[in-house]
Amino acid sequence: MMESADILERQESLTREIASRRDELVALTQDLIRIPTLNPPGDFYRDICEYLARRLEKSGFDVKLLRAEGTPGDSERHPRWNVICRREGGRSGPCVHFNSHIDVVSTGAGWTFDPFAGTVSDGKIYGRGACDMKGGLAASIVAAEAFVALWPEYPGAIEISGTADEETGGYGGVAWLAGQGYFSPERVQHVIIPEPLNKDRICLGHRGVMWAEIKTHGRIAHGSMPFLGDCAVRHMGAVIAEMETSLFPALAKKHTAMPVVPDGARQSTMNINSLHGGQAEPDPDFTGFPSACVPDEARMIIDRRYLIEEQAEEVREEIISLLERVKAERTGFRYDFEELWQVSPTMTSVDAPVVKAVERGIRSALACDPVHVVSPGTYDQKHIDRIGRLKDCIAYGPGILDLAHQPDEYVGIDDMVDSARVMAFALDDLLHGRA
């Protein structure tokens, strides 16, 4: 009983402290949205990292700004900057790390709010990245700052990072940092990634992915005499036809025990990301006509999402076998296949310490049972697991996943406050323990 009373008292203190910072949480989220960190190409990364550094230095965090030189997209014009802020407590203990990506996708059309104004309306903050995931970043900062203000001599360490390029694979962010040892199990023990998965859900991991390029080859000729050439686009059409006949039905029959959301993603899927063939698209101001040519090359990019029950080599061989079947049936069929990148599925155990701590935080803060989910797409947990070899990692944060990358993206203010409480309770649980 004494143990439970002590935990309850700490949680009540955290609740009051976070409630007193509500306006600060809103202002912080607005400030982050107003830094337009569009990726591609990777704008204003240094600016947002410096903003976070100044903010967290005031709470006693030691700060490192780290450029991932030589990673995809890194250049003098668009350097890949990351920030890691670490605060040691008063005595030894584990390190809890909150990791958020700083980049956002392009705005697109259809907005009724300025995408970079951080407008507050009807209890919501609107803007590109509000949901995915600057609201989560702000909530994790306020959770950590509230905890530090109450118990500055806590055991262990707290880290908060803002990392680059998650929206384009994370290779200039978490992947590079993990390769440098910043996510090694000796340095960090628990990781929470505040992605927008809804405030009552714990995301244990994600499906696997393989991106690949398929090229078909032909022979150029005059368009009035196509029989003298060999149309690469027709060859690619045969590839698509075989996908429709054999591959897509086979993928629909593969189902997983992973709790993937939404339900449609509990099977294997493949998306044809892009298709190009023949002459390049003309410039918008070109008013002429195309020339009469038989296309000698066509190119397709595929995005294959696979399940924990499948193996990467099996996924690759599935596509190669399909291409070989087409080759056997079509005269002159030639192709190239290149795997662009591949990431295996990952799923943290439901018994992992960080899962249990966030479960207890949700029950205490929200008075409901947590729901375990798995993401249909990947996020930076892939690098923490695969490169960092750190398994005690989940995604948990405010926001509605379906709003990510949409016009009029928003995050609810109450949801941010509630998620900040959950994260603070989990932080207390992992550092102070249940005693």
Side-chain angles (χ1 to χ4, degrees):
M1 293 296 291
M2 186 65 69
E3 178 179 285
S4 298
D6 184 54
I7 294 166
L8 182 59
E9 183 179 341
R10 293 202 305 267
Q11 291 179 344
E12 289 173 348
S13 296
L14 283 167
T15 296
R16 289 191 296 270
E17 186 68 27
I18 290 170
S20 73
R21 296 168 183 256
R22 181 186 179 93
D23 291 345
E24 184 182 341
L25 175 56
V26 172
L28 172 57
T29 306
Q30 290 177 301
D31 284 349
L32 295 173
I33 291 169
R34 289 166 183 162
I35 304 174
T37 48
L38 286 167
N39 180 31
D43 293 331
F44 299 103
Y45 282 3
R46 176 89 188 199
D47 300 68
I48 198 168
C49 287
E50 289 180 344
Y51 176 94
L52 294 169
R54 290 192 300 270
R55 166 85 188 212
L56 287 159
E57 280 176 337
K58 294 176 182 177
S59 296
F61 284 78
D62 295 324
V63 170
K64 286 185 179 181
L65 266 68
L66 300 157
R67 178 180 169 183
E69 293 191 51
T71 56
D74 179 69
S75 67
E76 290 306 310
R77 186 176 179 186
H78 293 106
R80 267 39 199 173
W81 284 104
N82 302 274
V83 63
I84 292 184
C85 308
R86 183 180 178 102
R87 190 185 189 281
E88 300 285 351
R91 57 192 186 278
S92 64
C95 174
V96 179
H97 185 117
F98 295 96
N99 165 249
S100 299
H101 65 83
I102 56 175
D103 57 323
V104 300
V105 298
S106 61
T107 56
W111 287 77
T112 60
F113 292 90
D114 182 335
F116 295 113
T119 304
V120 175
S121 177
D122 194 27
K124 303 166 185 172
I125 306 175
Y126 287 85
R128 176 53 86 222
C131 170
D132 184 19
M133 58 177 298
K134 291 178 176 178
L137 171 57
S140 70
I141 289 172
V142 167
E145 288 178 338
F147 180 84
V148 166
L150 291 170
W151 301 288
E153 297 302 313
Y154 56 86
I158 301 170
E159 284 190 345
I160 297 174
S161 62
T163 53
D165 285 2
E166 189 274 344
E167 297 291 3
T168 52
Y171 293 97
V174 170
W176 182 82
L177 291 167
Q180 303 297 310
Y182 285 99
F183 286 98
S184 69
E186 295 77 26
R187 187 178 184 278
V188 175
Q189 285 69 54
H190 316 287
V191 178
I192 296 172
I193 303 175
E195 289 275 10
L197 274 305
N198 299 7
K199 64 185 179 182
D200 62 343
R201 303 201 298 192
I202 299 170
C203 186
L204 303 174
H206 52 72
R207 293 191 299 175
V209 57
M210 181 191 73
W211 281 65
E213 178 185 78
I214 299 169
K215 286 183 180 177
T216 55
H217 302 282
R219 186 173 67 255
I220 195 167
H222 197 288
S224 68
M225 296 175 286
F227 46 83
L228 297 180
D230 187 15
C231 182
V233 172
R234 289 183 64 187
H235 286 315
M236 188 63 82
V239 172
I240 295 173
E242 182 64 23
M243 287 177 172
E244 294 289 351
T245 300
S246 64
L247 181 60
F248 286 114
L251 297 184
K253 294 177 182 177
K254 296 183 179 183
H255 294 275
T256 182
M258 302 171 84
V260 188
V261 291
D263 286 345
R266 293 194 181 186
Q267 66 179 47
S268 297
T269 60
M270 191 182 81
N271 175 52
I272 297 175
N273 178 267
S274 61
L275 190 62
H276 306 272
Q279 298 168 40
E281 287 293 314
D283 293 333
D285 59 351
F286 179 73
T287 59
F289 297 98
S291 59
C293 289
V294 174
D296 61 355
E297 183 178 282
R299 182 169 64 94
M300 174 195 295
I301 303 293
I302 59 171
D303 173 1
R304 171 75 161 85
R305 305 294 169 136
Y306 65 100
L307 312 172
I308 207 164
E309 293 85 356
E310 298 178 273
Q311 299 298 315
E313 187 53 40
E314 169 192 345
V315 169
R316 186 179 189 278
E317 184 57 34
E318 209 167 33
I319 304 299
I320 298 295
S321 296
L322 181 148
L323 294 169
E324 287 295 318
R325 287 197 301 274
V326 177
K327 182 178 179 179
E329 295 169 0
R330 290 184 67 83
T331 302
F333 181 85
R334 294 178 293 126
Y335 72 89
D336 292 324
F337 175 87
E338 181 184 1
E339 186 177 303
L340 302 178
W341 64 285
Q342 187 272 138
V343 172
S344 297
T346 183
M347 190 166 73
T348 299
S349 167
V350 294
D351 296 321
V354 71
V355 175
K356 292 302 182 185
V358 176
E359 281 180 358
R360 289 188 285 264
I362 290 172
R363 289 191 180 98
S364 296
L366 308 182
C368 68
D369 288 328
V371 178
H372 294 148
V373 299
V374 165
S375 174
T378 68
Y379 54 94
D380 279 333
Q381 185 172 341
K382 58 184 176 282
H383 301 309
I384 293 170
D385 179 1
R386 181 175 58 91
I387 302 173
R389 305 299 179 192
L390 176 59
K391 302 296 184 183
D392 201 49
C393 174
I394 59 160
Y396 171 79
I400 300 168
L401 181 61
D402 293 354
L403 297 175
H405 301 193
Q406 294 283 341
D408 285 348
E409 176 185 350
Y410 69 82
V411 63
I413 296 171
D414 287 343
D415 287 348
M416 285 199 300
V417 172
D418 286 343
S419 287
R421 289 177 63 213
V422 172
M423 285 188 270
F425 289 3
L427 184 59
D428 177 60
D429 191 320
L430 292 165
L431 294 185
H432 281 143
R434 300 300 294 164

